[in-house]
Amino acid sequence: MNDKKISVKANFIYNLLYQVISILAPMIIASYVSHVLGAKRVGIYSVVNANVECFIMLGVFGLSTYSQFEVSKKRDNKNELNQFCFESFITRCTTIGVSLVLYFIFLAINGGDYRLYYILMLPLFLANLFDFSWVCQGLENFKSVTIIYFCVKILSVILVFLFIQTTDDLIWYIVINSAAVFLSNILIFIRVMNMVKFCLYRKIRVFYHIKKSLFYFLPSIASSIIYVGDKIMLGWMVPDRCQSGYYEQAVNIECMIFMVFASLNLTMRPRLSYLYEKGKKSEIHEYLKYSLSITILFALPAFIGLALISDIFVPLFFGEDFIKLTPILIIMSACLFVKAVSNCLLEQSIVAKGKMKIGTFIIWVGAVTNVLLNLFMIPKMLAVGAALSSLVTEIIILVLVYVFTRKERVVDYIVNSIKKELIAAFFMASLICLIKYVLNDLLLEIILSVFLGGVLYFILLILLKDSCVNSIILNLKSLIMKSGD
């Protein structure tokens, strides 16, 4: 069991390193691109990219999640693993081929002024065809993925600074983003070919895997409606592309931070799936408690800190052209906390168990709610309305997830222990407000708010003897001692 824990911790560190660069690189790019391209062109990119994501989602057809679970189950049988990986690839060729045909029909009918941008995003379909990251995730091998993504992200940052110089360089921005995703997935595909072997099998069960992945595809449609549909609806209902630009960047910031919490779920998913398969309930319960504790430990200060510094962060980071982004970012910071908690419970206590019908029901309730709220809120409040719709949707999803996981009693444990985090967060918020009141330098205010606020938060939790923080400290000491040996 100790080896397994070390494996999970190591994989979490690798995945966390990737998520850190996944945050830093897009943040650098987002700030630079916002200043150079402006709100309108960022909005155009948002609308085009949202439409493309819908077709890619159709092409992937839930195969990534389904394949990850299957790989985690078959990893002890090399022949079954090889056959499944080959069949999954052939199945993906079929589904992406269908989505490409539909995409070309869409271009012919509805390309409009953005037809060139849609064409430049075609490499994303090939990138998803060769996306074999699910093999590494299923085998809990995150090292290769981390290194490849790290190098490609750094390269993409360099290319953005080199080629995007004026407001007319939106084309280059699209090309760089598409090429970066394609390159990283091709490199991962080459690496995976050293881990599994493709052979021609007498029977390739394409329709069998399509049927199985349908259980994962249905919730992915609902997720797309929630996380991409609002961008599409905002683009359709509001002609002003600046509103799409505001919303795009607010969602980007929220998603960048959320990916840190998603890394924990991604790392834990194959292990929990394996444990559920073996019926090890006590280990599962401990993993769930630890995961949820870690999520709340970091999500709470992230929410409060981002909300408090939004008014100074936006003009400095995005420029005066995005000043109307501030209230949207405050709403999305609250959405970040709610989504982090609900996603942790949904992924690890429902999806990992294979209870896809329950998971699908929850996500679809959220999707329908989101669409109805958007129809009412966007015409009246524009991008702010879309943000409020997302927040209400996430709260409803969290309530439903709690209802279906209350027997686990993990949430009750967390509610009883969150008091210490709330006390520490209150003093952190007070310090941030004091810094903003005393200083008059935007950059210095942000740096001190993040650094001193974070330090105070964790010092207080150490003094309050928070169990989750103590566990992290003990693990760090153990790693340091082992590295010293």
Side-chain angles (χ1 to χ4, degrees):
M1 182 61 199
N2 290 334
D3 291 338
K4 290 182 180 179
K5 286 186 177 179
I6 292 171
S7 175
V8 170
K9 292 171 188 174
N11 282 329
F12 175 64
I13 290 171
Y14 280 125
N15 209 7
L16 185 60
L17 287 174
Y18 162 64
Q19 300 302 345
V20 168
I21 191 62
S22 293
I23 291 173
L24 292 179
M27 282 186 74
I28 294 169
I29 291 173
S31 179
Y32 178 75
V33 165
S34 296
H35 281 87
V36 176
L37 296 181
K40 182 178 179 181
R41 283 171 177 77
V42 170
I44 292 172
Y45 174 79
S46 174
V47 172
V48 172
N49 187 61
N51 285 317
V52 172
E53 282 186 35
C54 289
F55 287 96
I56 289 175
M57 177 270 299
L58 175 63
V60 174
F61 205 76
L63 283 166
S64 294
T65 306
Y66 161 69
S67 298
Q68 181 188 333
F69 282 126
E70 290 301 308
V71 167
S72 68
K73 294 174 185 176
K74 302 177 187 300
R75 61 186 181 182
D76 295 330
N77 189 317
K78 195 69 175 177
N79 290 330
E80 285 188 11
L81 177 64
N82 290 338
Q83 181 171 358
F84 174 78
C85 289
F86 179 72
E87 289 182 357
S88 182
F89 176 66
I90 298 300
T91 305
R92 187 176 288 244
C93 289
T94 304
T95 55
I96 287 183
V98 172
S99 73
L100 263 175
V101 171
L102 295 175
Y103 186 68
F104 284 122
I105 294 173
F106 168 79
L107 281 181
I109 297 173
N110 199 32
D113 297 333
Y114 304 150
R115 182 172 281 106
L116 176 60
Y117 302 142
Y118 284 116
I119 292 172
L120 292 174
M121 286 193 172
L122 279 171
L124 291 175
F125 287 88
L126 286 176
N128 279 274
L129 176 63
F130 290 99
D131 178 14
F132 273 72
S133 58
W134 46 269
V135 175
C136 298
Q137 292 160 4
L139 295 175
E140 299 186 68
N141 182 353
F142 291 88
K143 184 176 181 180
S144 301
V145 176
T146 301
I147 294 171
I148 290 170
Y149 279 149
F150 180 87
C151 294
V152 174
K153 287 287 184 183
I154 295 298
L155 177 62
S156 64
V157 172
I158 295 171
L159 292 175
V160 164
F161 279 104
L162 286 176
F163 288 95
I164 300 177
Q165 303 291 332
T166 69
T167 55
D168 297 324
D169 290 332
L170 177 57
I171 289 176
W172 281 112
Y173 182 55
I174 293 173
V175 169
I176 292 169
N177 282 339
S178 301
V181 177
F182 178 74
L183 177 62
S184 59
N185 284 354
I186 285 294
L187 291 175
I188 291 172
F189 173 74
I190 294 171
R191 176 70 184 92
V192 166
M193 288 300 98
N194 294 323
M195 301 163 61
V196 299
K197 292 183 179 180
F198 280 2
C199 299
L200 286 175
Y201 293 93
R202 185 174 298 175
K203 187 178 181 182
I204 300 175
R205 303 170 297 172
V206 172
F207 292 105
Y208 170 81
H209 294 302
I210 288 177
K211 182 181 178 181
K212 286 286 186 179
S213 64
L214 182 63
F215 290 103
Y216 300 91
F217 176 61
L218 292 176
S220 74
I221 296 175
S223 296
S224 295
I225 292 173
I226 296 173
Y227 304 122
V228 181
D230 46 7
K231 296 180 184 179
I232 295 174
M233 291 181 73
L234 187 61
W236 285 350
M237 300 169 74
V238 181
D240 182 6
R241 287 293 173 260
C242 290
Q243 291 292 323
S244 294
Y246 303 146
Y247 190 70
E248 171 74 12
Q249 297 298 44
V251 171
N252 282 344
I253 293 296
E254 183 259 339
C255 286
M256 289 174 200
I257 301 173
F258 173 74
M259 288 307 293
V260 175
F261 306 106
S263 70
L264 176 62
N265 295 328
L266 188 64
T267 306
M268 295 297 297
R269 185 196 286 170
R271 175 54 50 87
L272 285 170
S273 179
Y274 180 78
L275 292 174
Y276 278 123
E277 187 81 8
K278 300 298 181 181
K280 298 182 178 180
K281 294 182 179 180
S282 60
E283 289 184 39
I284 292 168
H285 191 71
E286 289 303 312
Y287 275 128
L288 285 173
K289 284 201 303 186
Y290 186 70
S291 298
L292 195 55
S293 297
I294 287 285
T295 298
I296 292 175
L297 175 68
F298 289 99
L300 185 61
F303 151 47
I304 295 173
L306 182 59
L308 289 174
I309 67 170
S310 290
D311 59 331
I312 57 177
F313 176 78
V314 168
L316 180 68
F317 194 78
F318 293 109
E320 295 297 329
D321 197 28
F322 283 82
I323 201 69
K324 293 181 180 179
L325 166 61
T326 303
I328 305 169
L329 188 57
I330 293 172
I331 297 169
M332 295 309 295
S333 65
C335 191
L336 165 68
F337 176 75
V338 179
K339 187 164 78 170
V341 176
S342 65
N343 188 260
C344 178
L345 285 170
L346 181 65
E347 285 284 338
Q348 298 188 30
S349 192
I350 293 178
V351 176
K353 279 185 179 179
K355 295 184 176 180
M356 290 306 302
K357 289 184 179 179
I358 295 175
T360 301
F361 170 75
I362 292 172
I363 299 299
W364 269 105
V365 170
V368 173
T369 302
N370 190 250
V371 170
L372 294 175
L373 287 172
N374 279 330
L375 289 172
F376 176 74
M377 302 284 278
I378 289 177
K380 294 186 176 182
M381 304 178 70
L382 307 179
V384 172
L388 285 171
S389 298
S390 295
L391 177 57
V392 174
T393 299
E394 292 298 339
I395 291 173
I396 290 173
I397 290 174
L398 178 58
V399 171
L400 288 173
V401 170
Y402 171 72
V403 169
F404 283 104
T405 59
R406 65 187 184 278
K407 291 182 180 179
E408 302 278 357
R409 303 194 66 82
V410 176
V411 176
D412 296 335
Y413 165 81
I414 298 301
V415 169
N416 293 328
S417 62
I418 198 177
K419 297 174 185 177
K420 295 174 182 178
E421 277 81 2
L422 289 173
I423 293 171
F426 171 78
F427 284 101
M428 180 196 77
S430 301
L431 177 60
I432 292 174
C433 291
L434 179 62
I435 291 171
K436 289 174 63 180
Y437 179 77
V438 173
L439 299 179
N440 195 29
D441 183 302
L442 295 182
L443 180 59
L444 188 60
E445 286 179 47
I446 292 173
I447 293 173
L448 291 179
S449 294
V450 173
F451 179 73
L452 295 180
V455 169
L456 177 63
Y457 177 77
F458 284 102
I459 287 177
L460 287 173
L461 287 176
I462 292 171
L463 294 174
L464 293 169
K465 297 181 180 180
D466 181 79
S467 59
C468 188
V469 173
N470 288 338
S471 176
I472 293 172
I473 292 172
L474 289 174
N475 286 331
L476 288 174
K477 284 182 179 179
S478 176
L479 287 173
I480 291 170
M481 290 178 65
K482 286 180 180 179
S483 62
D485 295 338

